[in-house]
Amino acid sequence: MNQDLSKSTDDIIVGLDIGTSKVCVLVVSTDSSRQTLNILGIGLADSEGLRRGVVVHIEKTVNSIRQAVEQAEQQAGIKIKDVVVGIAGDHIQSLPTRSIISISNPTKEISHADVQRLLDEARKIAIPSDRRILHVIPQDYIIDGQDGITDPIGMSGIRMEANVHIVTSLFTAMQNIFRCVERAGLTVSDIVLEPLASSNAVLDNDEKEVGVALIDIGGGTTDFALFTGGAIRHTGVIPVAGDQITNDIAMALRTPSKEAADIKHRYACALTKLVEPDELIEVPSVADRPAKSMPRHMLAEVVEPRVEELFQLVHEQIKRSGFEPLLRSGIALTGGSATLPGMVELGEEVFHMPVRVAVPDYRGPLKDVLAAPKYATAIGL
């Protein structure tokens, strides 16, 4: 348990988002129903030990976690011990399966234990020895041939089936995350797929029912999740994201990566035609050379092809999934790079469906700070 050092609160939950570009820690108090969140503290640190969502340097990652945790502890006035950790990366894979069991006593109601037994059966699916199951997510249930059941508890039947979404992770990638968290003096209470966490923060039940694609554009990877009929149907990862945009800017403008990241956040636009042709920006140079001015549309001409490539790669995977015709709510963009001007307009050109920028649905203290796509994963966790 996380120990409260200053005051009595309800249940304390800590989300730890270990991203490629940043580590974010959120400390939340919640009532017993877990319906009301009150954010007590935020910790942010630059992430230097990951590439494309995977740990490549243990000590750098540990130091980043410690920095973010210390900030959150000071703000919240608690000692953090347990964390819910997010996981992403191009090693994540998902697959559909169907699980079947017989009900031991069909004269009684189907119980939670029966449902758990059904999901445990789904875990017996054959996967490569170097992978581990992250999530077993039921999509819908079939009882004695009657399909489309969303909650079987209390019903009667002899044979129960479930369509299940299985998410797997490379075992070593999971172990390295656990190792980093433990070396930072913390315990992992749960590990959650990041786009699944983000979806809980930025999507409502109506969107999931009607059909929506959540695209989470992080620093190292772009993760996406497709929902229809109120359930998750498909997940995927694209190894193109915000860092690639930053690298393109650094190379094209011949400026250091740190300055390129600042330029991206201040001036970048994903659609060239939205930029005034005579607008100028100041670009820092390397070493002691003076800064130079350049038209902003030249920056947009660097950014637009990379964002378009990212959207096209996601679109191809969505089309291959077979769920594209069912996404009647369109596309919800989140993650740090989702706020670039022109993302919505370019997204609608590529996907040919409505696109919106999705922010966390949080209305408590610090709302002005946290109502931003970059916090979607941490709040979801």
Side-chain angles (χ1 to χ4, degrees):
M1 294 294 291
N2 296 298
Q3 181 183 358
D4 190 344
L5 302 181
S6 61
K7 52 190 174 299
S8 175
T9 66
D10 296 313
D11 195 11
I12 301 291
I13 306 170
V14 181
L16 172 59
D17 173 15
I18 309 173
T20 302
S21 57
K22 74 176 188 311
V23 174
C24 180
V25 176
L26 285 183
V27 182
V28 177
S29 70
T30 179
D31 57 21
S32 58
S33 68
R34 296 200 172 187
Q35 296 300 309
T36 304
L37 298 182
N38 179 29
I39 293 177
L40 306 175
I42 311 171
L44 282 175
D46 291 336
S47 181
E48 299 178 346
L50 280 83
R51 184 169 66 240
R52 292 182 178 176
V54 176
V55 175
V56 295
H57 196 294
I58 293 284
E59 287 307 316
K60 286 183 178 180
T61 304
V62 170
N63 290 336
S64 296
I65 293 171
R66 284 175 176 159
Q67 290 176 33
V69 167
E70 287 171 5
Q71 286 182 29
E73 286 179 336
Q74 290 174 2
Q75 269 195 36
I78 72 165
K79 180 65 176 176
I80 296 172
K81 293 184 178 180
D82 304 330
V83 292
V84 179
V85 182
I87 186 170
D90 53 12
H91 62 95
I92 297 292
Q93 294 179 358
S94 66
L95 65 156
T97 188
R98 179 173 282 198
S99 180
I100 306 171
I101 62 168
S102 296
I103 305 301
S104 55
N105 188 347
T107 62
K108 291 187 177 180
E109 296 179 348
I110 293 173
S111 66
H112 288 283
D114 292 321
V115 173
Q116 188 58 54
R117 186 160 57 91
L118 181 65
L119 299 182
D120 288 342
E121 194 68 25
R123 286 184 172 273
K124 296 178 182 178
I125 188 172
I127 59 173
S129 60
D130 62 348
R131 306 193 69 79
R132 293 294 182 272
I133 292 177
L134 263 179
H135 298 296
V136 177
I137 306 171
Q139 298 170 326
D140 51 44
Y141 299 87
I142 303 100
I143 298 176
D144 295 342
Q146 181 183 347
D147 59 9
I149 297 169
T150 57
D151 184 1
I153 303 298
M155 300 182 72
S156 297
I158 297 173
R159 172 189 172 100
M160 181 165 63
E161 305 170 61
N163 292 312
V164 179
H165 186 73
I166 302 280
V167 181
T168 70
S169 164
L170 200 62
F171 176 66
T172 52
M174 286 181 64
Q175 284 297 102
N176 286 332
I177 288 178
F178 275 87
R179 188 168 289 115
C180 290
V181 173
E182 289 166 358
R183 285 197 186 182
L186 305 168
T187 300
V188 177
S189 61
D190 199 2
I191 187 163
V192 180
L193 181 67
E194 291 193 353
L196 186 61
S198 299
S199 71
N200 287 327
V202 303
L203 299 180
D204 61 34
N205 291 333
D206 288 342
E207 283 181 302
K208 293 179 182 179
E209 185 67 35
V210 173
V212 64
L214 176 73
I215 303 176
D216 188 344
I217 308 171
T221 61
T222 296
D223 311 307
F224 67 93
L226 311 183
F227 297 83
T228 67
I232 191 167
R233 303 294 174 178
H234 185 79
T235 53
V237 182
I238 301 295
V240 177
D243 284 355
Q244 282 71 33
I245 300 172
T246 302
N247 292 340
D248 288 351
I249 293 171
M251 293 180 64
L253 274 55
R254 299 179 182 178
T255 191
S257 293
K258 188 174 180 181
E259 303 293 348
D262 184 57
I263 291 169
K264 179 180 74 173
H265 292 302
R266 293 176 64 186
Y267 303 119
C269 181
L271 199 57
T272 306
K273 65 185 179 183
L274 298 180
V275 177
E276 295 293 334
D278 57 350
E279 185 177 355
L280 297 177
I281 61 173
E282 190 174 85
V283 179
S285 298
V286 295
D288 295 326
R289 298 183 182 123
K292 54 185 180 291
S293 293
M294 63 172 287
R296 187 183 174 207
H297 73 82
M298 290 180 63
L299 174 61
E301 289 170 359
V302 173
V303 173
E304 181 177 335
R306 181 64 80 175
V307 176
E308 185 175 12
E309 176 199 21
L310 186 160
F311 284 160
Q312 287 174 343
L313 289 170
V314 176
H315 194 203
E316 283 301 314
Q317 288 211 22
I318 290 175
K319 286 191 286 189
R320 282 201 297 269
S321 76
F323 290 104
E324 184 181 24
L326 303 178
L327 304 179
R328 293 186 292 273
S329 285
I331 307 291
L333 300 177
T334 194
S337 296
T339 55
L340 290 180
M343 294 292 279
V344 169
E345 293 84 352
L346 181 56
E348 291 181 342
E349 289 184 9
V350 173
F351 293 105
H352 305 294
M353 62 179 77
V355 177
R356 72 177 181 93
V357 175
V359 300
D361 183 20
Y362 173 70
R363 299 176 183 144
L366 303 174
K367 176 188 174 184
D368 293 343
V369 175
L370 293 166
K374 68 179 180 180
Y375 291 113
T377 297
I379 290 179
L381 291 171

